[in-house]
Amino acid sequence: MYDFAIIGGGIVGLSTAMALGSRYPDARILVLEKESQWAFHQTGNNSGVIHSGVYYKPGSFKAKFCRDGSRSMVEFCQKHNIDHDICGKVIVATDDTELPGLEKLYQRGLENGIEVKRISPEEVREIEPHVSCVGAIRVFSTGIVNYKQVCLKYAELINNQGGDLRLNTKVMEISRSGTNHILETNQGSFETKFVINCAGLHSDRIAKLGKANPEAKIVPFRGEYYELTPEKRYLVKTLIYPVPNPEFPFLGVHFTRMIDNSVHAGPNAVLSLKREGYKKTDFDLKDFAEVITYPGFWKLAAKHADEGIKEIIRSFSKAAFVRSLQKLIPEVQAEDLVPTHAGVRAQALMNNGSLVDDFLIIQGENSVHVCNAPSPAATSSLEIGKAVVNQIPEQAHLKSLVA
């Protein structure tokens, strides 16, 4: 019998388990992950950016958790000797039409309490000599890290706390025994008093197994990347982002210097035909059918048809992808780029076609479900973990477990 069972071994599930162990050191905590390693999906395939919080609506969970999470992530990396670099980034306007959007981002950064600075094209070239722009802002607190390394440290700390970590364990059914939950898995049954769903790409399905209604469906979007060849890495010193289209929910293709000194370019954002579809050819009939029969998807597609078509073109045309990158760095040529890994973003979508724009954490019966935690969830993971634990109702049996 466990006090808490967490479904999902990505960065949010592991951070939640760690926060539980700190709050309830005598609790019996179980973490279940269906893959053979931690951080296998979203966490292990993201860009490795420690985000600042400049993009997010003031007062939102994303804005608060990202700003606070950026600080706590850096402190965590310093404490545990995890390689990271607070290199900052530039967000650049490539023509005059983007200047109003750039100014809005600057003001939003100030509202969110982030250190941002307007800089001229000449000042940009002192930081990024190969960038072409008409204006920019510098965001000082943005950094880079390997989130897989972070997750391995989380798992180590959970193990030291006495947590039970189970890989290769897939939850297939959830039933009840009185007030307890019975988790039926491919490795047998586990009984727990409380369930925390951090299943990422499958969080809506797990919520429904637990008789909770997230009122949103996970729609997977694949982000495809290229990588600069080693001899062209000199073109990018830090992180270079465009001004995002405010009507489109993604940031646009950009350049990211990774912690291993490689430079990734991307991502685009295209519908994945499989929830764990990292290749263009990946297809799952159940996943595909769920999307195309969901009214919210067609409403979203109609609203963003023009941008969606551009994303699909970039997916199949390297030349189109390169043209997008050349707006930032004109010197980049097709031969300077080689394909690299893709990631899949679990995006919650409402039936009315609106994307869930903030982290979505809902209560169930003796359960909490994290049903929307895309970027900047990795940056915010320590704060999300604490927030999830704070949502657990104080019950009589927990009082004896508190530190």
Side-chain angles (χ1 to χ4, degrees):
M1 167 74 76
Y2 293 91
D3 295 295
F4 301 100
I6 295 149
I7 302 171
I11 199 165
V12 173
L14 292 170
S15 65
T16 300
M18 198 166 59
L20 279 170
S22 296
R23 174 75 66 85
Y24 304 110
D26 293 329
R28 291 155 294 179
I29 298 169
L30 172 68
V31 182
L32 301 177
E33 167 54 49
K34 70 183 179 67
E35 304 294 352
S36 60
Q37 56 186 275
W38 308 112
F40 190 82
H41 288 293
Q42 290 187 98
T43 308
N45 293 287
N46 68 21
S47 60
V49 175
I50 302 174
H51 288 284
S52 63
V54 71
Y55 298 104
Y56 311 117
K57 183 179 178 181
S60 66
F61 287 129
K62 280 189 177 182
K64 182 182 186 305
F65 290 171
C66 188
R67 183 192 63 233
D68 296 346
S70 175
R71 296 169 187 156
S72 56
M73 180 58 65
V74 171
E75 290 169 1
F76 184 88
C77 291
Q78 290 171 338
K79 180 178 179 180
H80 296 286
N81 298 312
I82 296 171
D83 288 342
H84 65 288
D85 182 15
I86 306 307
C87 55
K89 77 174 177 183
V90 291
I91 304 174
V92 303
T94 57
D95 61 52
D96 290 344
T97 64
E98 293 178 341
L99 289 174
L102 186 70
E103 179 62 21
K104 287 181 181 178
L105 277 181
Y106 173 75
Q107 295 298 334
R108 177 161 283 191
L110 295 178
E111 289 181 71
N112 286 336
I114 297 160
E115 186 182 2
V116 292
K117 180 184 177 183
R118 297 188 191 94
I119 56 176
S120 67
E122 291 73 26
E123 290 172 305
V124 171
R125 284 191 285 274
E126 291 176 7
I127 304 163
E128 294 288 354
H130 303 277
V131 165
S132 174
C133 68
V134 297
I137 59 175
R138 189 173 188 185
V139 186
F140 293 90
S141 58
T142 303
I144 48 176
V145 71
N146 183 329
Y147 283 116
K148 277 192 173 183
Q149 289 183 6
V150 173
C151 283
L152 290 176
K153 179 55 69 173
Y154 285 1
E156 178 186 324
L157 294 172
I158 296 162
N159 187 62
N160 292 343
Q161 291 170 339
D164 188 356
L165 296 158
R166 303 285 186 107
L167 293 167
N168 300 304
T169 308
K170 181 179 181 179
V171 174
M172 296 179 291
E173 295 291 340
I174 301 176
S175 58
R176 300 300 296 266
S177 175
T179 59
N180 295 339
H181 298 271
I182 307 296
L183 307 180
E184 301 290 349
T185 79
N186 59 327
Q187 302 290 342
S189 300
F190 300 89
E191 186 170 359
T192 182
K193 296 176 182 177
F194 201 93
V195 168
I196 301 174
N197 166 18
C198 299
L201 285 157
H202 302 280
S203 57
D204 56 338
R205 292 173 175 171
I206 293 294
K208 289 177 181 177
L209 288 180
K211 304 297 187 290
N213 181 11
E215 297 184 353
K217 182 176 291 294
I218 293 297
V219 175
F221 288 92
R222 186 173 61 254
E224 298 159 336
Y225 289 88
Y226 285 91
E227 183 177 343
L228 282 178
T229 57
E231 59 272 18
K232 291 294 183 175
R233 289 177 181 172
Y234 71 88
L235 292 172
V236 177
K237 307 296 182 187
T238 58
L239 311 179
I240 306 164
Y241 281 64
V243 177
N245 180 346
E247 300 300 318
F248 196 56
F250 302 101
L251 296 180
V253 294
H254 49 270
F255 290 96
T256 305
R257 179 169 289 279
M258 310 289 279
I259 199 65
D260 64 1
N261 218 36
S262 63
V263 177
H264 285 196
N268 61 349
V270 293
L271 177 69
S272 175
L273 305 183
K274 181 180 179 182
R275 291 206 183 192
E276 297 166 3
Y278 299 100
K279 301 175 183 176
K280 291 183 178 71
T281 53
D282 285 344
F283 177 80
D284 181 274
L285 182 59
K286 177 184 176 182
D287 294 349
F288 177 66
E290 278 192 13
V291 172
I292 64 165
T293 58
Y294 186 56
F297 169 72
W298 293 107
K299 294 170 185 175
L300 176 74
K303 182 178 179 181
H304 297 294
D306 290 346
E307 288 295 335
I309 290 169
K310 291 177 187 176
E311 296 290 341
I312 293 169
I313 291 171
R314 269 194 288 263
S315 177
F316 287 94
S317 169
K318 184 178 183 180
F321 206 112
V322 171
R323 283 195 295 272
S324 296
L325 295 171
Q326 286 172 335
K327 291 180 180 179
L328 301 174
I329 299 180
E331 292 173 57
V332 169
Q333 301 298 316
E335 58 268 25
D336 302 333
L337 298 159
V338 293
T340 187
H341 73 87
V344 178
R345 170 180 175 139
Q347 176 63 59
L349 178 64
M350 305 296 286
N351 194 59
N352 65 5
S354 63
L355 293 168
V356 178
D357 192 42
D358 207 354
F359 298 136
L360 178 62
I361 304 172
I362 65 170
Q363 294 271 357
E365 189 173 352
N366 290 334
S367 62
V368 172
H369 303 266
V370 182
C371 290
N372 193 57
S375 179
T379 300
S380 310
S381 58
L382 291 164
E383 305 307 314
I384 295 173
K386 288 186 285 188
V388 170
V389 173
N390 287 339
Q391 288 206 18
I392 296 172
E394 281 296 341
Q395 299 172 10
H397 81 279
L398 296 178
K399 293 179 181 178
S400 63
L401 304 175
V402 176

